[in-house]
Amino acid sequence: MMRSTLTTLMLLSCSLFSASAADFFGTWNLNTAKSKSEGLPLPKQQTVTYTKTATGYDYMAHGSSAAGEAVHATFTYTKDGEEIKVSGFPNWDAIVVKKGMDIKTTVQLKRKGEVIGSVTRVLQPGGMAMTVSGKFTLPDGKKGAYNYVYDRK
């Protein structure tokens, strides 16, 4: 009986752990028809790639802005709560990721050391869509917000 209970607890623990881990790795395309933004223009096109590393993941986004300019942004996530310098994001220069490997991830946005907003990434049931929603203060003091929907490529 004790062995059976122990086995059941171990299986339950494993299933709970795997349920919280998210498979968001791979390539995602911005679905502009389902996405919206306020205070800043929606990109014409954007592709995001999450590549698994030994200690976390690399993030890379490329595409074109609403004005048709090339966009390229990157960062490397290794540990929750650690400030990460980013490149290619026009409105912030650093982020702090919480629950970076989970189905629901929160990100604190920073500019020149100050928190200016937050982003939430949610992997949708079935794993074929992902939403990324954010609210922040732009460099000119105005507010910006977006709700981007990405489809797995």
Side-chain angles (χ1 to χ4, degrees):
M1 174 87 170
M2 178 120 159
R3 186 176 213 182
S4 166
T5 303
L6 183 58
T7 302
T8 302
L9 287 173
M10 286 177 63
L11 289 172
L12 180 60
S13 296
C14 289
S15 67
L16 288 174
F17 177 75
S18 65
S20 68
D23 181 16
F24 54 86
F25 298 107
T27 303
W28 300 84
N29 290 322
L30 179 66
N31 184 328
T32 55
K34 293 181 179 177
S35 299
K36 59 184 173 181
S37 67
E38 298 172 25
L40 67 162
L42 188 68
K44 284 185 181 179
Q45 185 274 334
Q46 186 178 70
T47 300
V48 172
T49 303
Y50 291 92
T51 306
K52 195 172 196 171
T53 66
T55 58
Y57 60 83
D58 290 332
Y59 168 96
M60 182 180 70
H62 66 276
S64 57
S65 71
E69 300 165 337
V71 175
H72 183 77
T74 63
F75 67 84
T76 298
Y77 163 85
T78 55
K79 185 170 95 176
D80 278 352
E82 186 175 89
E83 185 171 292
I84 302 167
K85 296 296 179 195
V86 300
S87 67
F89 293 92
N91 298 304
W92 49 86
D93 55 23
I95 60 173
V96 177
V97 179
K98 295 178 184 171
K99 297 185 178 182
M101 303 295 277
D102 286 358
I103 290 168
K104 183 177 181 182
T105 298
T106 57
V107 178
Q108 194 178 64
L109 306 174
K110 297 179 105 178
R111 183 174 49 246
K112 297 180 183 176
E114 291 187 38
V115 176
I116 56 125
S118 65
V119 170
T120 302
R121 178 191 71 205
V122 179
L123 185 64
Q124 298 303 309
M128 297 307 292
M130 172 176 68
T131 57
V132 180
S133 303
K135 291 184 178 184
F136 50 90
T137 303
L138 294 160
D140 64 5
K142 295 179 181 173
K143 300 294 181 186
Y146 64 90
N147 184 47
Y148 290 172
V149 177
Y150 292 89
D151 297 320
R152 190 180 290 272
K153 188 171 178 181

